[in-house]
Amino acid sequence: MISVPTPGTPRKLWRTVLVAWMIALPLMSLSLLTLPSSALAALSLDPNMDKTWKRTDQFVADGKVSRSWVWGPTVFNIRSEEYEGSPAWGDVPAGQRLVAYYDKSRMEINNPSGDRNSKYYVTNGLLVKELISGKQAFGDLKTVPYLPAEVPVSGDSYGNPKSPTYASLNSVASLVLGQNSAFNRSGQTLTSFLEREGGPQEDLRFASYNVKASFYDNTFGHNIADVFWTFINSQGPVLENGQTVNAPVIDWLFSTGYALTEPYWTVSRVGGTEKDVLIQCFERRCYSYTPSNPAAFQVEMGNVGRHYYEWRYNTPLPNCRTAPVRGFGKLWAENPSVKQRISCPFPYQTEQSTKVVTQRFERGQMIFVESSSTSYFLPYLKTIFILFNDGSWATVQDTWNNSQPESGGLTPPPGLFEPKRGFGNAWRNETGLNVRNRLGWAIEEEVGSDGAVQNFYNGLMVWIKSRDEIFVGYKYYNRTPVWETYLDTFEG
């Protein structure tokens, strides 16, 4: 097992009651979660992985069929990745799994002692879901919050400003059941257009391509374009048990998964040329339809495997003009994932001392910060941060003053408390946020403390001396703000 030092230990990371994803280990540098290059060189492609590739793509590589790659021309990286609960196997240590990256996806073996005759002995992960949500999987029940991938779904990776990225799909994708579902539009012509910024809009220009909604996938509630549904259900020569047979090329749920988005027309730059491209993303793959391509290559699988690998391992850290100091600086410098997500401190704004009040609730907590200046993240001089156990947070103004009653006179259950003063006002009166129902009763009286606060481009940090903790709040345009807390390990 590889030993990875962690300078800051997170107390809470995106705990949600809607899904059973619990993060139990410290948030670590994603670049440190891989084997050293010497160990990577010893790993090789599992025979079942090679068999899976040959089933569809050997014929493409040999030029015997004209169709799009299912995996890609060759594996470009074989490695072991952290995966909680995986047993030791050959050169792969316990807590790691063997994975192989191809352009279109990633093959993985989670249970090396499983049935090698099962098609699920080799699986391909929910890479698209991770790219859109920003949650990287490190086990069946373990995810690490990161940034949704700012990588174009289709077309050139650079110089392609109009094409939507995976992050662009964050606000329209169904990452949980019941989210962003669509009506059944079977038979209707598809004219919905999506750019990198902003929501979908109808553009009748795309009606000329005569692409229609063909199949309604009611799992998440999305229509599948007829060009994609035809491709998913296409048959052709494949290699099975050493024999060439005519069979389905794509196994829908195994290689594609359920639809996460509607089909959207986009304008993508491909090889430096702008083209109309229809895209649709599923749990495991994204598809593109380019009407101007030769017929055999109008429908293609996106380079999800390549995109995911670059996002997970090669995302550059921001180069900042200034750096935070003391506890904020130690946390920021020693946790590249935190630095990547929260970005740089605001120029010429250092941390400021402040008074902090905290109170824990049954399903979250509140933090009061008295600031000497306002900003996007500290909108009021007296700001209350409301932290929910689903990982989201919101801010409200503290409007309480001495002329108002301290509490609402409610009787809490034994051992619990009614919040008072500013916390009480927010708890009782912020009905739009449903604060009282979401937080529950307080489990302690409020606690005052010295503290500090500093703003960053993508959020802020608050130091709470009485808890020896640092609250980190992340906030991005058009996305749900998320939070976590770390032990303050700075000494001095």
Side-chain angles (χ1 to χ4, degrees):
M1 173 67 77
I2 301 171
S3 176
V4 183
T6 32
T9 304
R11 284 244 175 110
K12 182 181 294 182
L13 304 170
W14 279 52
R15 294 188 297 182
T16 172
V17 297
L18 298 177
V19 290
W21 291 348
M22 301 296 278
I23 300 171
L25 297 180
L27 186 64
M28 297 177 286
S29 165
L30 298 182
S31 63
L32 295 176
L33 294 176
T34 60
L35 288 174
S37 57
S38 59
L40 290 176
L43 298 178
S44 58
L45 200 66
D46 181 86
N48 276 54
M49 290 176 165
D50 187 50
K51 177 182 176 182
T52 301
W53 178 85
K54 286 180 176 177
R55 181 185 181 275
T56 56
D57 285 0
Q58 184 68 67
F59 296 101
V60 181
D62 293 342
K64 295 180 178 179
V65 297
S66 294
R67 66 185 182 213
S68 302
W69 297 100
V70 174
W71 298 96
T74 186
V75 60
F76 68 82
N77 189 275
I78 306 169
R79 67 194 306 124
S80 81
E81 288 181 344
E82 180 187 351
Y83 203 75
E84 192 173 65
S86 289
W89 173 47
D91 294 325
V92 180
Q96 303 270 330
R97 64 176 174 179
L98 182 68
V99 301
Y101 280 93
Y102 294 82
D103 285 346
K104 309 298 181 182
S105 188
R106 177 187 69 196
M107 293 186 193
E108 55 205 29
I109 297 177
N110 300 325
N111 181 16
S113 61
D115 181 7
R116 280 190 170 270
N117 294 318
S118 169
K119 67 178 179 181
Y120 293 106
Y121 181 80
V122 175
T123 58
N124 54 129
L126 305 177
L127 301 190
V128 177
K129 191 171 184 178
E130 293 184 41
L131 287 163
I132 295 175
S133 69
K135 294 181 179 180
Q136 297 182 354
F138 290 87
D140 290 341
L141 300 177
K142 180 186 175 183
T143 59
V144 170
Y146 199 55
L147 284 174
E150 291 288 2
V151 179
V153 175
S154 67
D156 301 340
S157 296
Y158 303 98
N160 188 13
K162 298 179 182 178
S163 185
T165 65
Y166 295 95
S168 304
L169 300 178
N170 186 274
S171 61
V172 298
S174 298
L175 300 175
V176 296
L177 292 175
Q179 179 187 41
N180 295 320
S181 297
F183 294 109
N184 189 334
R185 300 173 57 195
S186 296
Q188 296 183 24
T189 302
L190 298 176
T191 57
S192 189
F193 173 63
L194 187 67
E195 291 187 290
R196 179 166 298 188
E197 301 293 340
Q201 52 187 310
E202 294 300 314
D203 189 337
L204 296 180
R205 178 175 74 85
F206 296 103
S208 62
Y209 292 117
N210 198 33
V211 179
K212 300 181 184 298
S214 175
F215 176 77
Y216 184 72
D217 176 10
N218 59 15
T219 306
F220 288 104
H222 288 292
N223 299 275
I224 299 178
D226 55 7
V227 289
F228 300 144
W229 191 238
T230 298
F231 181 82
I232 289 171
N233 290 282
S234 63
Q235 294 203 354
V238 296
L239 190 65
E240 293 185 351
N241 299 318
Q243 302 295 319
T244 299
V245 299
N246 194 65
V249 178
I250 307 296
D251 186 317
W252 177 28
L253 295 183
F254 170 77
S255 63
T256 299
Y258 297 113
L260 295 181
T261 73
E262 289 293 286
Y264 295 113
W265 285 103
T266 68
V267 174
S268 295
R269 190 174 292 274
V270 184
T273 302
E274 284 194 348
K275 297 183 178 183
D276 292 340
V277 179
L278 183 74
I279 64 170
Q280 185 164 18
C281 284
F282 299 73
E283 291 175 300
R284 308 176 194 279
R285 308 285 182 115
C286 289
Y287 287 88
S288 66
Y289 169 69
T290 309
S292 59
N293 278 1
F297 300 97
Q298 287 179 327
V299 176
E300 297 176 288
M301 291 186 176
N303 290 329
V304 167
R306 182 75 65 172
H307 294 163
Y308 182 90
Y309 184 85
E310 292 298 318
W311 171 66
R312 179 160 175 165
Y313 294 109
N314 295 333
T315 302
L317 292 173
N319 185 17
C320 304
R321 294 163 57 186
T322 60
V325 297
R326 289 178 284 275
F328 294 161
K330 191 172 189 292
L331 173 64
W332 186 79
E334 295 180 350
N335 288 267
S337 178
V338 172
K339 182 178 181 180
Q340 179 68 51
R341 289 177 289 153
I342 204 167
S343 194
C344 302
F346 280 168
Y348 314 114
Q349 288 191 18
T350 60
E351 68 178 55
Q352 59 174 287
S353 298
T354 184
K355 293 296 182 183
V356 178
V357 180
T358 63
Q359 189 168 24
R360 292 187 175 96
F361 290 75
E362 292 176 293
R363 294 179 293 278
Q365 56 184 297
M366 290 191 190
I367 301 175
F368 165 82
V369 176
E370 187 168 3
S371 172
S372 62
S373 63
T374 59
S375 72
Y376 179 61
F377 305 109
L378 287 166
Y380 320 110
L381 294 178
K382 296 181 177 181
T383 301
I384 295 175
F385 294 89
I386 305 172
L387 316 182
F388 301 105
N389 270 4
D390 65 359
S392 64
W393 60 275
T395 57
V396 299
Q397 184 176 9
D398 181 8
T399 59
W400 184 86
N401 59 63
N402 291 330
S403 67
Q404 300 173 1
E406 280 202 345
S407 73
L410 302 177
T411 302
L416 301 176
F417 304 88
E418 179 194 359
K420 299 177 181 178
R421 293 174 284 276
F423 288 168
N425 277 351
W427 186 74
R428 290 188 301 273
N429 301 327
E430 289 295 332
T431 54
L433 294 171
N434 198 21
V435 175
R436 180 174 174 179
N437 287 337
R438 292 175 70 185
L439 285 184
W441 294 93
I443 61 174
E444 65 179 9
E445 296 279 13
E446 61 185 48
V447 178
S449 173
D450 291 331
V453 62
Q454 186 166 8
N455 287 290
F456 295 75
Y457 280 113
N458 288 340
L460 82 167
M461 293 187 187
V462 178
W463 173 57
I464 306 166
K465 182 178 180 180
S466 63
R467 294 188 184 178
D468 207 22
E469 280 184 350
I470 296 175
F471 155 68
V472 185
Y474 305 97
K475 197 166 188 178
Y476 314 105
Y477 173 74
N478 203 29
R479 295 174 205 147
T480 302
V482 296
W483 67 276
E484 57 198 25
T485 59
Y486 288 82
L487 289 174
D488 178 23
T489 60
F490 175 75
E491 297 179 1

